[in-house]
Amino acid sequence: MGRGRVELKRIENKINRQVSFSKRRNGLLKKAYELSVLCDVEVALIIFSTRKLWEFCSSSSMLKTLEKYRKSTYDASHPNPPPNDAQSYQEYLRLKTRVQVLQQSQRNLLGEDLDPLSMKELEQLENHLETSLGQIRSTKVLKTDFMHDNFLKLQRKGEMLLEANRTLSHKLDENASVNRLQQCHQIPQTYTFFQHLECDSTLQIGFNLEATQPRNAPHQQQNYNDLVPRWML
């Protein structure tokens, strides 16, 4: 009794779908390899899953095969393209392919999509990573030494500034001490609390007869004996 026909539709169970994808993917890659060897043809196979990229190329470079494919499809769709447009489109295809290669290389460097790589490609990737790691370590050592030297320079500069600060503080203290000593030994100034009074040199003590007489009056001789008591005579 023959095997029944299997209906082609999406497998709903996630585990069964993943198992079926793994089996059929390996079978497809094997058939592509056998076809390229038996029939001597150039085969390029690209499989995108939800998380990974799978590819197979019978030639030395997938880029050359894709470039040949794009050129063939462009020539078929544009039998007589203008020279400028054809050249621009070719440059676009080249740059687009380059971007895809760089993206794939970046994923490989991050440890992703390594299953399609051959042993030789894995060895090249490993050597590349070791070389990059060595350069990174060397740069790290240089950076560390440079930062250490700068730290020592800043530390010495800080010590010099502290010493200069201490010297200035000592000088300020000495100047303050000298000023205090000078103030203590300075002779105090005498302040005059009393003002000298101006005296009239013509001031006389006693009775001034001439001052009482008018200047224009005639001179009269007085008898001073009448003024002296007789008992003093």
Side-chain angles (χ1 to χ4, degrees), residues 112-123:
E112 301 176 356
D113 301 341
L114 300 178
D115 294 339
L117 300 180
S118 61
M119 291 298 298
K120 185 178 181 179
E121 291 175 343
L122 290 174
E123 290 177 357

Side-chain angles (χ1 to χ4, degrees), residues 21-100:
F21 171 73
S22 178
K23 291 180 180 180
R24 291 178 179 269
R25 180 199 66 217
N26 294 334
L28 183 59
L29 294 174
K30 182 179 179 181
K31 291 295 182 181
Y33 171 73
E34 293 176 353
L35 181 62
S36 63
V37 174
L38 294 176
C39 302
D40 191 17
V41 294
E42 186 174 354
V43 180
L45 175 63
I46 300 176
I47 303 174
F48 287 99
S49 66
T50 56
R51 292 179 300 174
K52 293 184 179 181
L53 168 66
W54 308 86
E55 62 180 11
F56 168 79
C57 184
S58 60
S59 64
S60 60
S61 175
M62 174 68 77
L63 295 179
K64 294 181 179 180
T65 304
L66 293 175
E67 185 68 20
K68 186 184 295 186
Y69 166 75
R70 289 184 176 126
K71 185 177 180 180
S72 300
T73 55
Y74 183 82
D75 293 341
S77 59
H78 300 81
N80 296 316
N84 295 333
D85 294 344
Q87 185 177 1
S88 301
Y89 184 73
Q90 293 296 328
E91 183 68 16
Y92 160 74
L93 295 178
R94 187 183 66 82
L95 293 177
K96 185 177 180 180
T97 305
R98 182 61 178 169
V99 170
Q100 292 177 352

